[in-house]
Amino acid sequence: MDSDKKAKIVQRKKNKLKKNAIKLFFLTIGALIMAVGLEMVLIPNNLIDGGVTGIAIMASHLTNLPLGLFLFLFNLPFLYLGYKQIGRTFAFSVAYGIVVLSIATSFMHNSSAFTNDTLLATVLGGILLGIGVGIAIRAGGCLDGSETLAILFNKKLPFSVGQIILFMNLFILGSAGFVFGFDRAMYSLISYFIAFKTIDLVSEGLNQTKSIWIISDEADEIGDQIMSRLGRGITYLNGQGGYSKDDKQVIFCVISRLEESKLKNIVEDVDPSAFLAFSNMTEIQGGNFKKKDVH
């Protein structure tokens, strides 16, 4: 093996090691933020989260044992399922996140609450949980094993994974009414909704992008206008009308959310009858998405 190949192998190993270190760092940060949301905000106010975490909170309340113990024990079956269904790398990421979360909640178990105001705790707890879980998801892991169970049920039931998770959490949050009172269960439901929306915001990012498909007889002029006035690159694709069988030129373009209005104006100025299709994108990899200067 020559020196160049050896150097490339060494460099790939270094890059992989660096990537894994960054991944574990963000999983740690996500787990710590979630632990703060649980032990310093939700639990002192008798509020719970959904999923396995919600079951663990109720078990901890009824037995007076540390939450971290139940988080670890209740997630063990899901770690095994994750290993079987998704793979070793994912299972390791989930295991690491859950272990850090369990340890962190154990250390914070007797910490003072940030607030005793129920409404404030509902909002703040939901935001902290959403940020923590969202960071973990972006790092390629998760902090709750219930998603794995939902994936398995999805193969045997006529419901989507999202619907199954929703049903499970409604049952868990409803059960909290018998443990903490139904007013607290309603607050917990609000907190869960806030966490759910925050997870989307964090995992997808603030600067959401959109993919645009444009079909027009004036495709060349529209493409030129997008590049000169918007500063975005485009790709031309060849298409054919389903009814007319006429050849059509299709423009594909990726823009930021804030540029959507300007792109619509550009197309409207050139061809008011053009067909536009917009789709939200959660991640872009490769290529060159940098915006060119527009003067």
Side-chain angles (χ1 to χ4, degrees):
M1 185 180 296
D2 56 43
S3 58
D4 289 340
K5 288 184 178 180
K6 287 183 178 178
K8 289 180 180 179
I9 292 173
V10 171
Q11 186 60 44
R12 280 199 296 267
K13 289 181 177 179
K14 287 182 178 179
N15 291 339
K16 185 176 181 180
L17 185 63
K18 181 181 178 181
K19 184 178 179 181
N20 288 335
I22 293 173
K23 179 179 183 177
L24 293 179
F25 171 77
F26 281 108
L27 281 172
T28 303
I29 295 299
L32 291 176
I33 293 174
M34 183 174 177
V36 171
L38 289 171
E39 289 288 359
M40 296 186 181
V41 182
L42 292 182
I43 293 175
N45 290 279
N46 289 330
L47 301 173
I48 74 165
D49 185 27
V52 175
T53 305
I55 299 174
I57 292 173
M58 287 188 284
S60 175
H61 177 79
L62 293 173
T63 61
N64 291 320
L65 293 174
L67 172 63
L69 175 64
F70 290 107
L71 285 173
F72 180 75
L73 292 177
F74 289 170
N75 277 294
L76 281 178
F78 302 109
L79 292 177
Y80 176 77
L81 291 175
Y83 174 78
K84 287 292 186 180
Q85 297 294 321
I86 303 176
R88 182 175 58 185
T89 301
F90 176 77
F92 173 78
S93 299
V94 176
Y96 177 81
I98 289 172
V99 168
V100 174
L101 177 63
S102 301
I103 295 173
T105 53
S106 297
F107 276 107
M108 299 177 189
H109 189 59
N110 296 317
S111 302
S112 300
F114 278 158
T115 178
N116 292 316
D117 183 281
T118 305
L119 182 58
L120 181 58
T122 299
V123 176
L124 179 61
I127 291 174
L128 288 174
L129 261 60
I131 292 173
V133 175
I135 290 174
I137 290 174
R138 290 202 71 157
C142 71
L143 300 174
D144 192 292
S146 58
E147 288 86 352
T148 307
L149 186 63
I151 292 171
L152 292 178
F153 282 160
N154 172 250
K155 296 179 179 180
K156 299 181 179 180
L157 297 175
F159 301 106
S160 68
V161 173
Q163 289 173 329
I164 294 171
I165 291 175
L166 177 61
F167 295 152
M168 289 167 55
N169 285 326
L170 287 176
F171 175 78
I172 293 167
L173 292 169
S175 301
F178 297 99
V179 179
F180 299 111
F182 285 97
D183 60 331
R184 299 290 164 166
M186 294 299 102
Y187 278 117
S188 296
L189 185 61
I190 296 172
S191 183
Y192 170 75
F193 178 77
I194 293 172
F196 182 79
K197 302 305 291 185
T198 306
I199 289 171
D200 285 345
L201 188 65
V202 174
S203 60
E204 294 179 4
L206 292 170
N207 189 26
Q208 190 180 60
T209 54
K210 289 178 176 285
S211 61
I212 316 296
W213 301 81
I214 306 170
I215 303 175
S216 170
D217 293 331
E218 307 294 335
D220 289 332
E221 186 176 352
I222 292 174
D224 291 340
Q225 291 290 322
I226 291 174
M227 289 187 287
S228 62
R229 292 171 58 185
L230 201 59
R232 290 296 185 188
I234 62 170
T235 299
Y236 289 112
L237 304 171
N238 294 321
Q240 186 182 63
Y243 289 106
S244 65
K245 305 300 180 182
D246 294 336
D247 291 335
K248 297 286 185 180
Q249 201 165 31
V250 181
I251 299 173
F252 175 76
C253 181
V254 178
I255 62 174
S256 71
R257 177 174 52 84
L258 299 177
E259 294 168 333
E260 179 180 348
S261 178
K262 186 173 182 179
L263 182 137
K264 288 180 178 178
N265 291 335
I266 290 172
V267 176
E268 180 75 17
D269 290 343
V270 178
D271 182 7
S273 62
F275 175 83
L276 287 83
F278 295 80
S279 177
N280 292 328
M281 304 182 71
T282 58
E283 185 177 355
I284 296 176
Q285 185 172 336
N288 185 7
F289 185 59
K290 293 182 179 179
K291 180 181 174 68
K292 296 181 176 64
D293 293 332
V294 179
H295 301 286

